[in-house]
Amino acid sequence: DKGIQLVVFSVRTSEHGRPGHAALEGDHMTCLSLLLRRGADLEAKNHNQQTLLQCIRKKYGQTRTDKLLKESGNECKIKG
């Protein structure tokens, strides 16, 4: 039994636009991973018109992004 971990996360849409972007900007990797596993839209744009995928790649680089997406089951949803 691994137990249950409750994650409480508050988002101000005026600052980040979407929960995935807010988790990324706040370095909340547990939240970001959970959102990705639950089907977060990688094409969702923030207030700067950048997709979540673009922001993840910019912050972590291609190799770490690929690993994060593979672990979340999203690697086959990427459009290049």
Side-chain angles (χ1 to χ4, degrees), residues 12-23:
R12 289 173 149 204
T13 56
S14 62
E15 290 180 20
H16 304 289
R18 305 296 284 261
H21 289 89

Side-chain angles (χ1 to χ4, degrees), residues 23-40:
L24 180 64
E25 288 300 315
D27 288 322
H28 301 289
M29 290 305 295
T30 301
C31 290
L32 181 60
S33 294
L34 175 66
L35 290 167
L36 291 171
R37 283 194 313 272
R38 297 294 182 201

